[in-house]
Amino acid sequence: MKLTKDGIKNTAEWEAKGYSLPKFDRNSVEAATKAEPFWIHFGAGNIFRAFQANVVQELLNKGVLDRGLVVAEGYDYEIIEKMYRPHDNIGALVTLKSSGSVEKTVVGSIMEALAADSENEKDWARLLEIFRSPSLQMVTFTITEKGYLLRNAAGLMMPGVEDDFAAGPVLPKSYIGKVVTLLHERYVNGELPVAMVSMDNCSHNGDKLYAAVNEFAKEWENRGVCKPGFLDYVNNSGKVSFPWTMIDKITPRPDAKIEKILADDGIEQLEPVITSKKTYVAPFVNAEECQYLVIEDNFPNGRPELEKAGLYFTDRETVDKVEKMKVCTCLNPLHTFLAVSGCLLGYTLIADEMKDPDLLRLVKRLGYDEGLPVVVDPGIIKPRNFIDEVVNIRIPNPFMPDTPQRIACDTSQKLSIRFGETIKGYLGRSDLNIADLKVIPLVFALWLRYLMAIGDDGKVFELSPDPLLEECKKYVAGVKIGDTSLPAELDKLLCRKEIFGVDLFEAGLADAVKDYFAKLIAGNGAVRNTLHQTAL
């Protein structure tokens, strides 16, 4: 049993082992895709293979689609060369159920896999051909939020960008330079319409993609290195759109336990590849069962009926509301609470924290009691149903190897949106009392306690990366376990709106945060005791 075209021909053998297989004629779909591509995706990583590729397979199986996907990788070409091509673009998706069972699918919806490398003559020529095709409806991306940056944090140009600005749409080096060069090819071949759709997990992602593309087009026109009118084309929403999307699905790194399950079934050649750029890829992906993809319905060249596979199409305002529902109330705040609590209590799996009665009660109180009264309701997804799924299925999933240490990364950047918006909601409502918030000030206090880098057992632990880590640690540098007197310096942190979303003194929560913090530093075991007493 091999994950290749020939290897999956013995369907009875695969199905006997519990695998769902492609139910379409791959040869005819491949021929149709190459003749009239409709969807190309940039970013050949796990989320694409677990989500978008599986959605297309479902629609191919149903007969809704007659063409498959083209994927392009513009950062780590070895993913294409060493993983996609040896397996004929076929992979296994193992869906990890909260019940402890797994669902196994052979995904064969990817018809072409290309290196978005302008020095690869064959692949680059094919990419140019695809972008000249009138049939192309959507160009999608999962290249991470950093992929859209043209400058680093110091304001310096990312590698290749300045060269690409100067050279124009010829043999680009930077990721966005490649994308804009391909879009320019579409422009010079008839100003053909297309949707440029970021599906990365960041707020207002379409704007981030647009800003990068627009800056390239502007530079090229100003320098006279592209066909005149390209900037107008990029800014004509009837020709090129940049929809917002909200994506939500956890796809951890391929896990050795899952590899063993597949190997025990008799699948060969499952060995992962670690590329020279340190990307870890395998012939399989493992992912949670729950998934959401909400897309602004703005497609100048039409679009496939992806709603028939559970995707949502709506307006921009609703996409924004779904994002706020998730980030400010129903998922991300719960994760942050579990992250800082878990680090202090010595947990190494988020799922295990949901077996802790104190943490479970506080997670529910944070979401249902404190968040839902001011939740942004998008209408298309019920917030209570979403949080039910988060609390009962997603976070407790024993298969999901997510850690509090990973989620604790960049906490200083997350508190304002994950909790500050709820606080503002309470302050703006005459029927709600800010004093009723108990868990949110506890989270802030737990973060302060976390910054001390001492667990509840008195042992030192390593703090997760955070751009403000060294600065924020200074506010608690003089605090000692067992001494509940708090430094005056702490007040200077609690008033910082850019961290908490509000000035906690003006909001009336600073004293509650300090009271909790004093309890949390009372001695070894004080974190557990405070959590338990608050959960009662």
Side-chain angles (χ1 to χ4, degrees), residues 292-317:
Y292 294 89
L293 183 49
V294 183
I295 306 171
E296 178 188 354
D297 200 354
N298 186 4
F299 290 79
N301 199 28
R303 63 167 177 82
E305 296 179 287
L306 302 181
E307 62 269 36
K308 292 186 175 179
L311 275 56
Y312 297 84
F313 287 90
T314 183
D315 54 48
R316 175 168 288 200
E317 182 182 5

PDB file of all heavy atoms in Angstrom, residues 292-317:
ATOM      1  N   TYR A 292     -13.823  25.711  10.042  1.00  0.00           N
ATOM      2  CA  TYR A 292     -14.639  26.824   9.565  1.00  0.00           C
ATOM      3  C   TYR A 292     -13.834  27.607   8.537  1.00  0.00           C
ATOM      4  O   TYR A 292     -12.646  27.866   8.718  1.00  0.00           O
ATOM      5  CB  TYR A 292     -15.010  27.768  10.718  1.00  0.00           C
ATOM      6  CG  TYR A 292     -15.911  27.156  11.759  1.00  0.00           C
ATOM      7  CD1 TYR A 292     -15.368  26.484  12.849  1.00  0.00           C
ATOM      8  CD2 TYR A 292     -17.295  27.231  11.643  1.00  0.00           C
ATOM      9  CE1 TYR A 292     -16.183  25.912  13.811  1.00  0.00           C
ATOM     10  CE2 TYR A 292     -18.120  26.659  12.600  1.00  0.00           C
ATOM     11  CZ  TYR A 292     -17.563  26.005  13.680  1.00  0.00           C
ATOM     12  OH  TYR A 292     -18.376  25.430  14.621  1.00  0.00           O
ATOM     13  N   LEU A 293     -14.488  27.979   7.465  1.00  0.00           N
ATOM     14  CA  LEU A 293     -13.909  28.903   6.497  1.00  0.00           C
ATOM     15  C   LEU A 293     -15.032  29.802   6.011  1.00  0.00           C
ATOM     16  O   LEU A 293     -15.951  29.358   5.318  1.00  0.00           O
ATOM     17  CB  LEU A 293     -13.254  28.161   5.334  1.00  0.00           C
ATOM     18  CG  LEU A 293     -12.539  29.016   4.280  1.00  0.00           C
ATOM     19  CD1 LEU A 293     -11.594  30.022   4.913  1.00  0.00           C
ATOM     20  CD2 LEU A 293     -11.788  28.143   3.290  1.00  0.00           C
ATOM     21  N   VAL A 294     -14.966  31.064   6.430  1.00  0.00           N
ATOM     22  CA  VAL A 294     -15.974  32.074   6.090  1.00  0.00           C
ATOM     23  C   VAL A 294     -15.323  33.055   5.118  1.00  0.00           C
ATOM     24  O   VAL A 294     -14.261  33.601   5.408  1.00  0.00           O
ATOM     25  CB  VAL A 294     -16.475  32.797   7.355  1.00  0.00           C
ATOM     26  CG1 VAL A 294     -17.579  33.788   6.995  1.00  0.00           C
ATOM     27  CG2 VAL A 294     -16.970  31.787   8.393  1.00  0.00           C
ATOM     28  N   ILE A 295     -15.967  33.263   3.968  1.00  0.00           N
ATOM     29  CA  ILE A 295     -15.334  34.004   2.877  1.00  0.00           C
ATOM     30  C   ILE A 295     -16.240  35.140   2.404  1.00  0.00           C
ATOM     31  O   ILE A 295     -17.437  34.936   2.170  1.00  0.00           O
ATOM     32  CB  ILE A 295     -15.038  33.071   1.688  1.00  0.00           C
ATOM     33  CG1 ILE A 295     -14.212  31.853   2.149  1.00  0.00           C
ATOM     34  CG2 ILE A 295     -14.323  33.812   0.566  1.00  0.00           C
ATOM     35  CD1 ILE A 295     -14.056  30.781   1.081  1.00  0.00           C
ATOM     36  N   GLU A 296     -15.661  36.318   2.244  1.00  0.00           N
ATOM     37  CA  GLU A 296     -16.388  37.435   1.642  1.00  0.00           C
ATOM     38  C   GLU A 296     -16.694  37.074   0.186  1.00  0.00           C
ATOM     39  O   GLU A 296     -15.801  36.742  -0.584  1.00  0.00           O
ATOM     40  CB  GLU A 296     -15.538  38.696   1.720  1.00  0.00           C
ATOM     41  CG  GLU A 296     -16.192  39.909   1.085  1.00  0.00           C
ATOM     42  CD  GLU A 296     -15.261  41.097   1.002  1.00  0.00           C
ATOM     43  OE1 GLU A 296     -14.138  41.029   1.546  1.00  0.00           O
ATOM     44  OE2 GLU A 296     -15.653  42.092   0.355  1.00  0.00           O
ATOM     45  N   ASP A 297     -17.940  37.148  -0.184  1.00  0.00           N
ATOM     46  CA  ASP A 297     -18.379  36.682  -1.505  1.00  0.00           C
ATOM     47  C   ASP A 297     -18.134  37.764  -2.556  1.00  0.00           C
ATOM     48  O   ASP A 297     -19.041  38.485  -2.964  1.00  0.00           O
ATOM     49  CB  ASP A 297     -19.853  36.290  -1.452  1.00  0.00           C
ATOM     50  CG  ASP A 297     -20.238  35.375  -2.606  1.00  0.00           C
ATOM     51  OD1 ASP A 297     -19.390  35.149  -3.487  1.00  0.00           O
ATOM     52  OD2 ASP A 297     -21.377  34.882  -2.625  1.00  0.00           O
ATOM     53  N   ASN A 298     -16.890  37.858  -3.010  1.00  0.00           N
ATOM     54  CA  ASN A 298     -16.492  38.885  -3.963  1.00  0.00           C
ATOM     55  C   ASN A 298     -15.532  38.243  -4.971  1.00  0.00           C
ATOM     56  O   ASN A 298     -14.312  38.243  -4.787  1.00  0.00           O
ATOM     57  CB  ASN A 298     -15.815  40.044  -3.226  1.00  0.00           C
ATOM     58  CG  ASN A 298     -15.509  41.207  -4.152  1.00  0.00           C
ATOM     59  OD1 ASN A 298     -15.864  41.194  -5.331  1.00  0.00           O
ATOM     60  ND2 ASN A 298     -14.839  42.212  -3.627  1.00  0.00           N
ATOM     61  N   PHE A 299     -16.097  37.679  -6.035  1.00  0.00           N
ATOM     62  CA  PHE A 299     -15.328  36.907  -7.008  1.00  0.00           C
ATOM     63  C   PHE A 299     -15.638  37.416  -8.415  1.00  0.00           C
ATOM     64  O   PHE A 299     -16.641  37.039  -9.019  1.00  0.00           O
ATOM     65  CB  PHE A 299     -15.666  35.416  -6.879  1.00  0.00           C
ATOM     66  CG  PHE A 299     -15.141  34.795  -5.611  1.00  0.00           C
ATOM     67  CD1 PHE A 299     -15.802  34.977  -4.405  1.00  0.00           C
ATOM     68  CD2 PHE A 299     -13.974  34.049  -5.628  1.00  0.00           C
ATOM     69  CE1 PHE A 299     -15.304  34.419  -3.231  1.00  0.00           C
ATOM     70  CE2 PHE A 299     -13.477  33.485  -4.465  1.00  0.00           C
ATOM     71  CZ  PHE A 299     -14.137  33.669  -3.258  1.00  0.00           C
ATOM     72  N   PRO A 300     -14.790  38.288  -8.956  1.00  0.00           N
ATOM     73  CA  PRO A 300     -15.078  38.918 -10.250  1.00  0.00           C
ATOM     74  C   PRO A 300     -15.198  37.941 -11.423  1.00  0.00           C
ATOM     75  O   PRO A 300     -15.829  38.268 -12.426  1.00  0.00           O
ATOM     76  CB  PRO A 300     -13.875  39.852 -10.455  1.00  0.00           C
ATOM     77  CG  PRO A 300     -13.286  40.053  -9.105  1.00  0.00           C
ATOM     78  CD  PRO A 300     -13.550  38.803  -8.350  1.00  0.00           C
ATOM     79  N   ASN A 301     -14.606  36.749 -11.289  1.00  0.00           N
ATOM     80  CA  ASN A 301     -14.660  35.783 -12.387  1.00  0.00           C
ATOM     81  C   ASN A 301     -15.509  34.565 -12.010  1.00  0.00           C
ATOM     82  O   ASN A 301     -15.357  33.489 -12.583  1.00  0.00           O
ATOM     83  CB  ASN A 301     -13.237  35.332 -12.770  1.00  0.00           C
ATOM     84  CG  ASN A 301     -13.179  34.724 -14.164  1.00  0.00           C
ATOM     85  OD1 ASN A 301     -13.979  35.064 -15.034  1.00  0.00           O
ATOM     86  ND2 ASN A 301     -12.240  33.820 -14.364  1.00  0.00           N
ATOM     87  N   GLY A 302     -16.436  34.782 -11.062  1.00  0.00           N
ATOM     88  CA  GLY A 302     -17.254  33.669 -10.591  1.00  0.00           C
ATOM     89  C   GLY A 302     -16.479  32.788  -9.624  1.00  0.00           C
ATOM     90  O   GLY A 302     -15.291  33.002  -9.375  1.00  0.00           O
ATOM     91  N   ARG A 303     -17.165  31.795  -9.079  1.00  0.00           N
ATOM     92  CA  ARG A 303     -16.513  30.913  -8.113  1.00  0.00           C
ATOM     93  C   ARG A 303     -17.200  29.557  -8.093  1.00  0.00           C
ATOM     94  O   ARG A 303     -18.364  29.409  -8.497  1.00  0.00           O
ATOM     95  CB  ARG A 303     -16.553  31.533  -6.714  1.00  0.00           C
ATOM     96  CG  ARG A 303     -17.968  31.729  -6.154  1.00  0.00           C
ATOM     97  CD  ARG A 303     -17.941  32.042  -4.672  1.00  0.00           C
ATOM     98  NE  ARG A 303     -19.270  32.298  -4.118  1.00  0.00           N
ATOM     99  CZ  ARG A 303     -20.122  31.350  -3.754  1.00  0.00           C
ATOM    100  NH1 ARG A 303     -19.812  30.058  -3.918  1.00  0.00           N
ATOM    101  NH2 ARG A 303     -21.303  31.665  -3.247  1.00  0.00           N
ATOM    102  N   PRO A 304     -16.503  28.543  -7.582  1.00  0.00           N
ATOM    103  CA  PRO A 304     -17.128  27.221  -7.420  1.00  0.00           C
ATOM    104  C   PRO A 304     -18.107  27.232  -6.253  1.00  0.00           C
ATOM    105  O   PRO A 304     -18.082  28.123  -5.402  1.00  0.00           O
ATOM    106  CB  PRO A 304     -15.935  26.309  -7.123  1.00  0.00           C
ATOM    107  CG  PRO A 304     -14.906  27.215  -6.520  1.00  0.00           C
ATOM    108  CD  PRO A 304     -15.082  28.536  -7.208  1.00  0.00           C
ATOM    109  N   GLU A 305     -18.955  26.223  -6.202  1.00  0.00           N
ATOM    110  CA  GLU A 305     -19.979  26.137  -5.154  1.00  0.00           C
ATOM    111  C   GLU A 305     -19.406  25.470  -3.900  1.00  0.00           C
ATOM    112  O   GLU A 305     -19.828  24.394  -3.477  1.00  0.00           O
ATOM    113  CB  GLU A 305     -21.187  25.356  -5.665  1.00  0.00           C
ATOM    114  CG  GLU A 305     -21.910  26.021  -6.818  1.00  0.00           C
ATOM    115  CD  GLU A 305     -23.083  25.190  -7.307  1.00  0.00           C
ATOM    116  OE1 GLU A 305     -22.850  24.149  -7.950  1.00  0.00           O
ATOM    117  OE2 GLU A 305     -24.239  25.586  -7.025  1.00  0.00           O
ATOM    118  N   LEU A 306     -18.462  26.145  -3.293  1.00  0.00           N
ATOM    119  CA  LEU A 306     -17.785  25.575  -2.131  1.00  0.00           C
ATOM    120  C   LEU A 306     -18.694  25.492  -0.914  1.00  0.00           C
ATOM    121  O   LEU A 306     -18.411  24.755   0.035  1.00  0.00           O
ATOM    122  CB  LEU A 306     -16.538  26.394  -1.792  1.00  0.00           C
ATOM    123  CG  LEU A 306     -15.486  26.518  -2.909  1.00  0.00           C
ATOM    124  CD1 LEU A 306     -14.294  27.326  -2.430  1.00  0.00           C
ATOM    125  CD2 LEU A 306     -15.034  25.142  -3.385  1.00  0.00           C
ATOM    126  N   GLU A 307     -19.783  26.227  -0.925  1.00  0.00           N
ATOM    127  CA  GLU A 307     -20.732  26.139   0.191  1.00  0.00           C
ATOM    128  C   GLU A 307     -21.321  24.738   0.307  1.00  0.00           C
ATOM    129  O   GLU A 307     -21.795  24.332   1.384  1.00  0.00           O
ATOM    130  CB  GLU A 307     -21.842  27.189   0.059  1.00  0.00           C
ATOM    131  CG  GLU A 307     -22.705  27.061  -1.176  1.00  0.00           C
ATOM    132  CD  GLU A 307     -22.198  27.856  -2.349  1.00  0.00           C
ATOM    133  OE1 GLU A 307     -20.974  27.960  -2.526  1.00  0.00           O
ATOM    134  OE2 GLU A 307     -23.035  28.374  -3.119  1.00  0.00           O
ATOM    135  N   LYS A 308     -21.286  23.974  -0.783  1.00  0.00           N
ATOM    136  CA  LYS A 308     -21.803  22.603  -0.751  1.00  0.00           C
ATOM    137  C   LYS A 308     -20.886  21.651   0.018  1.00  0.00           C
ATOM    138  O   LYS A 308     -21.226  20.490   0.216  1.00  0.00           O
ATOM    139  CB  LYS A 308     -22.038  22.097  -2.172  1.00  0.00           C
ATOM    140  CG  LYS A 308     -23.188  22.823  -2.865  1.00  0.00           C
ATOM    141  CD  LYS A 308     -23.525  22.231  -4.214  1.00  0.00           C
ATOM    142  CE  LYS A 308     -24.755  22.924  -4.816  1.00  0.00           C
ATOM    143  NZ  LYS A 308     -25.100  22.392  -6.158  1.00  0.00           N
ATOM    144  N   ALA A 309     -19.722  22.172   0.450  1.00  0.00           N
ATOM    145  CA  ALA A 309     -18.834  21.399   1.317  1.00  0.00           C
ATOM    146  C   ALA A 309     -18.693  22.076   2.681  1.00  0.00           C
ATOM    147  O   ALA A 309     -17.744  21.806   3.412  1.00  0.00           O
ATOM    148  CB  ALA A 309     -17.466  21.234   0.676  1.00  0.00           C
ATOM    149  N   GLY A 310     -19.641  22.956   3.010  1.00  0.00           N
ATOM    150  CA  GLY A 310     -19.681  23.528   4.352  1.00  0.00           C
ATOM    151  C   GLY A 310     -19.003  24.864   4.525  1.00  0.00           C
ATOM    152  O   GLY A 310     -18.966  25.388   5.646  1.00  0.00           O
ATOM    153  N   LEU A 311     -18.474  25.453   3.450  1.00  0.00           N
ATOM    154  CA  LEU A 311     -17.878  26.774   3.584  1.00  0.00           C
ATOM    155  C   LEU A 311     -18.980  27.833   3.560  1.00  0.00           C
ATOM    156  O   LEU A 311     -20.057  27.612   3.003  1.00  0.00           O
ATOM    157  CB  LEU A 311     -16.871  27.030   2.458  1.00  0.00           C
ATOM    158  CG  LEU A 311     -15.441  26.499   2.700  1.00  0.00           C
ATOM    159  CD1 LEU A 311     -15.417  25.022   2.990  1.00  0.00           C
ATOM    160  CD2 LEU A 311     -14.540  26.821   1.508  1.00  0.00           C
ATOM    161  N   TYR A 312     -18.692  28.969   4.180  1.00  0.00           N
ATOM    162  CA  TYR A 312     -19.674  30.049   4.273  1.00  0.00           C
ATOM    163  C   TYR A 312     -19.264  31.194   3.343  1.00  0.00           C
ATOM    164  O   TYR A 312     -18.106  31.621   3.359  1.00  0.00           O
ATOM    165  CB  TYR A 312     -19.741  30.610   5.697  1.00  0.00           C
ATOM    166  CG  TYR A 312     -20.207  29.639   6.753  1.00  0.00           C
ATOM    167  CD1 TYR A 312     -19.320  28.745   7.350  1.00  0.00           C
ATOM    168  CD2 TYR A 312     -21.530  29.628   7.194  1.00  0.00           C
ATOM    169  CE1 TYR A 312     -19.729  27.868   8.339  1.00  0.00           C
ATOM    170  CE2 TYR A 312     -21.951  28.759   8.185  1.00  0.00           C
ATOM    171  CZ  TYR A 312     -21.048  27.880   8.753  1.00  0.00           C
ATOM    172  OH  TYR A 312     -21.453  27.012   9.739  1.00  0.00           O
ATOM    173  N   PHE A 313     -20.203  31.694   2.562  1.00  0.00           N
ATOM    174  CA  PHE A 313     -19.980  32.889   1.750  1.00  0.00           C
ATOM    175  C   PHE A 313     -20.925  33.977   2.231  1.00  0.00           C
ATOM    176  O   PHE A 313     -22.133  33.742   2.393  1.00  0.00           O
ATOM    177  CB  PHE A 313     -20.207  32.585   0.270  1.00  0.00           C
ATOM    178  CG  PHE A 313     -19.111  31.752  -0.327  1.00  0.00           C
ATOM    179  CD1 PHE A 313     -19.186  30.363  -0.313  1.00  0.00           C
ATOM    180  CD2 PHE A 313     -17.991  32.353  -0.878  1.00  0.00           C
ATOM    181  CE1 PHE A 313     -18.168  29.591  -0.845  1.00  0.00           C
ATOM    182  CE2 PHE A 313     -16.968  31.585  -1.423  1.00  0.00           C
ATOM    183  CZ  PHE A 313     -17.060  30.204  -1.400  1.00  0.00           C
ATOM    184  N   THR A 314     -20.373  35.158   2.463  1.00  0.00           N
ATOM    185  CA  THR A 314     -21.173  36.221   3.065  1.00  0.00           C
ATOM    186  C   THR A 314     -20.550  37.565   2.709  1.00  0.00           C
ATOM    187  O   THR A 314     -19.706  37.656   1.809  1.00  0.00           O
ATOM    188  CB  THR A 314     -21.243  36.005   4.596  1.00  0.00           C
ATOM    189  OG1 THR A 314     -22.081  37.003   5.174  1.00  0.00           O
ATOM    190  CG2 THR A 314     -19.864  36.054   5.241  1.00  0.00           C
ATOM    191  N   ASP A 315     -20.950  38.628   3.406  1.00  0.00           N
ATOM    192  CA  ASP A 315     -20.374  39.944   3.138  1.00  0.00           C
ATOM    193  C   ASP A 315     -19.199  40.207   4.077  1.00  0.00           C
ATOM    194  O   ASP A 315     -18.961  39.474   5.041  1.00  0.00           O
ATOM    195  CB  ASP A 315     -21.442  41.043   3.277  1.00  0.00           C
ATOM    196  CG  ASP A 315     -22.167  41.004   4.619  1.00  0.00           C
ATOM    197  OD1 ASP A 315     -21.480  40.909   5.670  1.00  0.00           O
ATOM    198  OD2 ASP A 315     -23.403  41.053   4.632  1.00  0.00           O
ATOM    199  N   ARG A 316     -18.469  41.268   3.793  1.00  0.00           N
ATOM    200  CA  ARG A 316     -17.256  41.587   4.558  1.00  0.00           C
ATOM    201  C   ARG A 316     -17.567  41.841   6.028  1.00  0.00           C
ATOM    202  O   ARG A 316     -16.822  41.401   6.919  1.00  0.00           O
ATOM    203  CB  ARG A 316     -16.558  42.801   3.944  1.00  0.00           C
ATOM    204  CG  ARG A 316     -15.363  43.290   4.726  1.00  0.00           C
ATOM    205  CD  ARG A 316     -14.538  44.299   3.960  1.00  0.00           C
ATOM    206  NE  ARG A 316     -13.797  43.668   2.873  1.00  0.00           N
ATOM    207  CZ  ARG A 316     -12.731  44.211   2.284  1.00  0.00           C
ATOM    208  NH1 ARG A 316     -12.287  45.395   2.657  1.00  0.00           N
ATOM    209  NH2 ARG A 316     -12.109  43.572   1.306  1.00  0.00           N
ATOM    210  N   GLU A 317     -18.653  42.539   6.300  1.00  0.00           N
ATOM    211  CA  GLU A 317     -19.015  42.845   7.685  1.00  0.00           C
ATOM    212  C   GLU A 317     -19.241  41.566   8.494  1.00  0.00           C
ATOM    213  O   GLU A 317     -18.834  41.466   9.653  1.00  0.00           O
ATOM    214  CB  GLU A 317     -20.283  43.711   7.717  1.00  0.00           C
ATOM    215  CG  GLU A 317     -20.711  44.117   9.118  1.00  0.00           C
ATOM    216  CD  GLU A 317     -21.997  44.928   9.123  1.00  0.00           C
ATOM    217  OE1 GLU A 317     -22.604  45.091   8.037  1.00  0.00           O
ATOM    218  OE2 GLU A 317     -22.399  45.381  10.201  1.00  0.00           O
TER     219      GLU A 317
END
